[in-house]
Each structure stands twice: as structure tokens, then as C-alpha cells.
Amino acid sequence: MRCVHCQRCCRDTMMELSEADIVRLERRGYRREEFCSIDEDGIPRLRNVGSWCFFYDSEARRCCEYRSRPLGCTLYPVNMDEDGHLIVDELCPQVGTITAEELERKGKRLRALLRTIDAQAARR
Ligand code: SF4
Ligand code: SF4
């Protein structure tokens, strides 16, 4: 897809995090309590500061940890609905540029990621 870096997906994020995402960001010098909150269901998610993701730099208008961003951010706007069906999030203005091949490839990675996150949450 052709991301235009509009950053809509960095606003009021509910992005789920795997332990690998958290550790990678900790290695960048952040404490997990700063950027991550754990919901009642045991799922860690990116924390917002005001209306924006903790890692959103409002002056530069970009993600300040783009290279280390959570895997879910790299797979977005491919997402999954509550029934487990793959969807593309219409919030993204570039959904029309996703190819069928990309949807399938990202969908596989997203399913694996969410299985990992669920398994990690079950062990908490
Ligand atoms: S909403 Fe879509 S186009 Fe905008 S930054 Fe996110 S992925 Fe890129
Ligand atoms: S980690 Fe970066 S790309 Fe992901 S939601 Fe936050 S600011 Fe956006």
C-alpha cells in the first residue's frame, strides 16, 4: 500500500502489543509503564497521551519510533473484526491501495500476532 503518513492511525490508538514489541521498545530506553497499559482482558495496548499515541511526535507530526514500532502498526490498516474476519480499517485513506497479495500476507502475520498476544495474556 502507499502510506501517505497522514498519522490518522496514531490517534486514539488501541494497538495491541506482543511481549516482543514491548521488549523492543524497552531496549529503545522507554519503561513499559510509560507506553503501555494492560486492559481487563490482560491485553497490553499502546497508551495514549491526550488524543495521540505515546510515540507520536506532534511537532514533527510523525512516529518517533517508526523503525521500532509495534508489529501491529506495520500491518495496519489490515485488521480483524470481533468475529475473526480480516478487514481493512476504513479510517485509513489509503485502503484502496492494498493489493490482494498484501492483504493475504499481512493477514497471515496479523493472525499469528494476535494468537501470540492472546496466549501471552492468558499466562498473565
Ligand atoms: S492511516 Fe493509513 S495512510 Fe495514514 S498513516 Fe496510517 S497507514 Fe498510513
Ligand atoms: S507506535 Fe508509532 S506508528 Fe504506532 S500508533 Fe504509535 S505513533 Fe503511530
Side-chain angles (χ1 to χ4, degrees):
M1 71 168 283
R2 288 193 300 275
C3 175
V4 292
H5 301 284
C6 67
Q7 311 302 354
R8 283 188 202 179
C9 51
C10 305
R11 193 175 179 113
D12 295 324
T13 180
M14 295 178 64
M15 184 57 69
E16 297 186 9
L17 304 172
S18 69
E19 189 60 24
D21 290 324
I22 294 170
V23 169
R24 187 171 62 255
L25 288 160
E26 283 182 320
R27 287 190 181 132
R28 295 284 303 151
Y30 303 94
R31 287 180 293 112
R32 66 176 63 200
E33 301 78 27
E34 291 179 297
F35 63 82
C36 160
S37 60
I38 298 185
D39 288 352
E40 291 170 359
D41 53 8
I43 305 283
R45 295 177 194 272
L46 281 174
R47 194 184 280 280
N48 290 289
V49 178
S51 298
W52 294 93
C53 171
F54 175 84
F55 293 110
Y56 182 72
D57 180 336
S58 55
E59 280 187 20
R61 300 177 72 178
R62 58 191 268 281
C63 175
C64 65
E65 288 297 336
Y66 192 73
R67 289 189 176 178
S68 301
R69 69 196 189 285
L71 178 56
C73 295
T74 73
L75 301 176
Y76 184 87
V78 176
N79 209 335
M80 201 174 284
D81 68 16
E82 289 181 356
D83 297 322
H85 299 124
L86 280 182
I87 56 168
V88 283
D89 191 345
E90 296 293 332
L91 178 76
C92 171
Q94 294 298 94
V95 290
T97 67
I98 295 180
T99 64
E101 181 277 326
E102 185 178 9
L103 180 59
E104 187 181 341
R105 178 169 43 82
K106 285 188 169 181
K108 273 188 193 162
R109 294 186 74 195
L110 181 63
R111 284 187 197 283
L113 173 66
L114 295 181
R115 272 198 303 272
T116 298
I117 291 173
D118 285 347
Q120 290 170 343
R123 291 199 292 273
R124 281 198 175 84

